[in-house]
Amino acid sequence: MKIYKIPEHLKALIFDIDSTLYTNPSYAFEQVDCQIRQFAKDRGISADEARKMVAEYRKSYAASNNGKKISLGNTLLAFGISIEQSVQWRESLMEPKDFLSCDEKLISVIKLLREKFSLICVTNNPVFTARKTLEAIGISDYFPDIVGLDTCYKSKPAVEPFMEACRILGTKPEECLAVGDRYDMDIDLPLELGMGGILVNGVEEVYTFPSIL
């Protein structure tokens, strides 16, 4: 875990979902790979060719942007796959319950956090898929609102999803703390917006939040 900043007057926590509120390398891989396989099918190329295209584009992007990473949605956008199409693929191809199960420890942690802060999720998956993920791990009831890929049709890192979260919560950026597992997607921009930020390596580190917030 790396704590970049905790706001002095903290009112809200903005959570990423995937590989933040659960730790499951198999599902993390499948979320990406199922879209790459669909991209390959649409292009009439092999899955390995598509994986190579995506990897090379991401490598080139990082080399041209001081090492910053790019989301899969924005990578596919560069290959002519619209965000709307990415939303459709993610909704139809992903089934969280096949990989995830109820996390009683996380439920108890989120209950405690909900007593002190407003909670919301900002994710690069569509709201439909994100909601199924939260249901699978048992915390959906504690997150009445989700800002997804189909909310603003912008993939993190983008200003719009984070500002929409603030609008929904009725908070200022400087009253919010962003939590995620990828610095370039989840933390860097929120810090620029004046939010706090905590980078985690999975749900095991989220378990410790009641003792640090």
Side-chain angles (χ1 to χ4, degrees), residues 30-179:
E30 177 61 16
Q31 283 193 63
V32 173
D33 204 60
C34 69
Q35 296 176 75
I36 294 176
R37 296 194 304 270
Q38 185 63 49
F39 171 66
K41 182 178 179 181
D42 284 11
R43 284 291 178 91
I45 60 177
S46 72
D48 281 344
E49 288 176 297
R51 292 183 188 110
K52 184 178 179 181
M53 288 173 63
V54 168
E56 289 181 347
Y57 183 85
R58 284 177 148 176
K59 182 179 180 180
S60 175
Y61 179 89
S64 301
N65 290 273
N66 297 315
K68 286 190 175 183
K69 297 178 181 178
I70 185 172
S71 70
L72 180 62
N74 284 333
T75 299
L76 292 175
L77 189 61
F79 290 127
I81 304 300
S82 68
I83 294 295
E84 289 80 2
Q85 183 64 74
S86 287
V87 167
Q88 292 177 17
W89 285 356
R90 290 166 189 253
E91 288 181 339
S92 63
L93 297 173
M94 297 179 187
E95 190 48 72
K97 68 180 181 180
D98 290 345
F99 294 85
L100 307 175
S101 59
C102 189
D103 185 341
E104 295 294 345
K105 188 169 184 177
L106 178 63
I107 292 171
S108 65
V109 166
I110 295 299
K111 280 182 179 179
L112 290 173
L113 295 176
R114 183 69 185 274
E115 292 174 1
K116 297 175 64 177
F117 310 109
S118 297
L119 306 179
I120 196 169
C121 288
V122 175
T123 174
N124 276 348
N125 272 326
V127 172
F128 175 74
T129 306
R131 181 60 68 189
K132 290 199 296 182
T133 300
L134 296 184
E135 289 171 353
I137 57 181
I139 60 171
S140 182
D141 290 346
Y142 303 102
F143 290 89
D145 296 295
I146 298 171
V147 177
L149 187 60
D150 51 344
T151 303
C152 303
Y153 288 92
K154 295 283 187 177
S155 181
K156 295 188 292 184
V159 171
E160 291 87 347
F162 291 104
M163 294 309 297
E164 177 64 10
C166 289
R167 186 195 69 77
I168 292 170
L169 296 173
T171 56
K172 300 174 183 178
E174 57 266 28
E175 297 170 330
C176 298
L177 173 67
V179 181

Side-chain angles (χ1 to χ4, degrees), residues 182-197:
R182 298 178 298 175
Y183 179 80
D184 292 335
M185 305 298 143
D186 305 317
I187 308 300
D188 189 17
L189 180 61
L191 291 175
E192 290 183 16
L193 294 173
M195 298 183 186

